[in-house]
Amino acid sequence: MWLYEKRLQFPVKISSPNVGAAQIIMSQLGGPDGEIGAAMRYLNQRYTMPYKEVVGTLTDIGTEELAHMEIVSAIIYQLTKNASLKEIKQAGFDKYFVDHTVGQWPSAASGTPFNAYTFQCTGDIITDLHEDLAAEQKARTTYDNILRLIDNPEICAPIRYLREREIVHYQRFGEALRITLDKQNSKNFYAVNASFDKPCNK
Amino acid sequence: MACREKEILMKKIDNISFMCDDIRLFLDTHPKNQQALYFYDKYIEIRKKLLREYREKFGALDWYDFFGGKYTWCDEPWPWQGEV
């Protein structure tokens, strides 16, 4: 069960439309390192995790990613609301507009649709945690690039917040990996999958 | 005036909730850290009071809260609209 709270984790208040910026930022909704993929990755990985700290971390970070998805969507919504057809054409947003108007269809900035192949759930705790560490850095890089392309402070404030969260999540996943390795070292030197090969957990 | 008050109260709720969110993640990997746990409990208490104040003045923020005889869930602006 999830509980919906009627507020954003970080406020978004953008006063004028900018469809070009919306198109770029859409990558963090449905792109290869976007928030939908992040939420799906962590929330799907948690079921087979053998250690309670890791299950807790994946549940809580996965849930926060759902909130980040809503922040990114809020930015896109406010950047496309009241945009004129002229602005849409000038920004090259017409190719998206023809299929989706200004509705939010999860895709990368380049137009590639969201795909579950952008993330993994291997059912192996060590592989999955490394995937998670890489994912946080990839998302951080994407936010860095968004900040290189956009300078409106109203847009940059929530983007900077999201970027900082990637760094904190990376830190927590690093600790989850350390906890995992500490629990395995004595009897599982070669890091056999503790999620499936049960004797490794003893 | 009421709009400004709502904005300030929402800002307070956002701030205290963020502290809870951040400490919760820290506690996931440091469950025995007493200092973090102390601050978590303290901030959750403050958050509860702020949520109660918000509900009494402007309506419920989450599903499992009282509506007090008037269902306003769909009337208030949604968070992504940038109006609060």
Side-chain angles (χ1 to χ4, degrees):
Chain A
M1 178 61 183
W2 267 267
L3 174 66
Y4 188 74
E5 200 164 274
K6 230 178 172 182
R7 60 179 190 90
L8 293 181
Q9 200 192 20
F10 188 95
V12 177
K13 220 167 190 171
I14 298 166
S15 38
S16 56
N18 182 340
V19 279
Q23 189 156 34
I24 290 164
I25 291 166
M26 192 166 280
S27 251
Q28 283 303 66
L29 180 65
D33 307 303
E35 301 292 355
I36 294 181
M40 295 304 109
R41 174 186 295 111
Y42 307 144
L43 294 176
N44 284 296
Q45 282 179 356
R46 67 199 169 122
Y47 300 100
T48 50
M49 289 296 171
Y51 308 128
K52 61 183 187 339
E53 297 89 342
V54 183
V55 178
T57 301
L58 285 167
T59 302
D60 294 352
I61 296 183
T63 301
E64 190 179 325
E65 305 294 6
L66 292 173
H68 292 178
M69 201 182 128
E70 197 183 28
I71 296 175
V72 174
S73 289
I75 297 172
I76 299 166
Y77 171 74
Q78 292 181 31
L79 284 173
T80 51
K81 190 177 64 173
N82 301 327
S84 70
L85 277 174
K86 192 180 162 205
E87 287 167 318
I88 287 167
K89 279 189 212 164
Q90 270 175 356
F93 198 68
D94 47 353
K95 289 168 200 70
Y96 179 93
F97 182 89
V98 68
D99 292 323
H100 314 291
T101 328
V102 289
Q104 296 202 19
W105 184 67
S107 57
S110 59
T112 314
F114 174 72
N115 194 319
Y117 277 127
T118 59
F119 65 87
Q120 247 294 22
C121 179
T122 65
D124 180 312
I125 185 168
I126 294 184
T127 314
D128 280 351
L129 283 173
H130 278 96
E131 151 102 4
D132 303 342
L133 286 161
E136 295 296 334
Q137 292 300 344
K138 288 190 282 180
R140 198 257 310 149
T141 301
T142 311
Y143 283 123
D144 278 343
N145 288 337
I146 290 171
L147 290 169
R148 287 187 177 102
L149 294 166
I150 291 165
D151 51 16
N152 177 349
E154 287 179 339
I155 308 173
C156 289
I159 295 291
R160 278 207 189 88
Y161 168 80
L162 292 167
R163 180 192 180 277
E164 282 161 20
R165 296 309 289 160
E166 308 298 341
I167 295 166
V168 172
H169 292 173
Y170 179 80
Q171 182 69 29
R172 299 286 92 89
F173 282 129
E175 290 154 2
L177 180 62
R178 192 207 63 223
I179 290 168
T180 299
L181 294 175
D182 283 352
K183 288 192 182 192
Q184 295 194 16
N185 274 349
S186 58
K187 285 192 178 171
N188 190 10
F189 191 76
Y190 294 104
V192 173
N193 182 6
S195 300
F196 192 76
D197 305 299
K198 299 302 175 205
C200 299
N201 287 326
K202 299 249 166 66
Chain B
M1 193 60 202
C3 189
R4 181 87 187 119
E5 192 191 351
K6 193 175 179 179
E7 210 173 299
I8 292 168
L9 191 52
M10 184 58 104
K11 184 88 191 154
K12 281 187 191 168
I13 293 172
D14 283 347
N15 288 346
I16 200 84
S17 304
F18 174 70
M19 289 197 269
C20 297
D21 293 342
D22 202 40
I23 299 171
R24 192 185 317 110
L25 293 189
F26 180 81
L27 280 168
D28 285 344
T29 53
H30 304 79
K32 292 190 178 116
N33 189 304
Q34 285 303 313
Q35 204 183 359
L37 196 58
Y38 167 79
F39 281 113
Y40 189 74
D41 286 345
K42 190 175 153 176
Y43 294 151
I44 285 289
E45 205 56 46
I46 298 170
R47 194 185 116 90
K48 275 193 183 146
K49 276 185 203 142
L50 289 170
L51 284 178
R52 203 179 310 132
E53 189 187 336
Y54 191 95
R55 186 229 305 148
E56 279 159 13
K57 287 179 179 159
F58 310 109
L61 269 186
D62 80 68
W63 290 335
Y64 295 108
D65 213 337
F66 297 102
F67 283 103
K70 192 174 176 239
Y71 189 71
T72 52
W73 183 249
C74 306
D75 300 335
E76 290 294 311
W78 294 93
W80 58 84
Q81 294 172 330
E83 286 171 31
V84 179

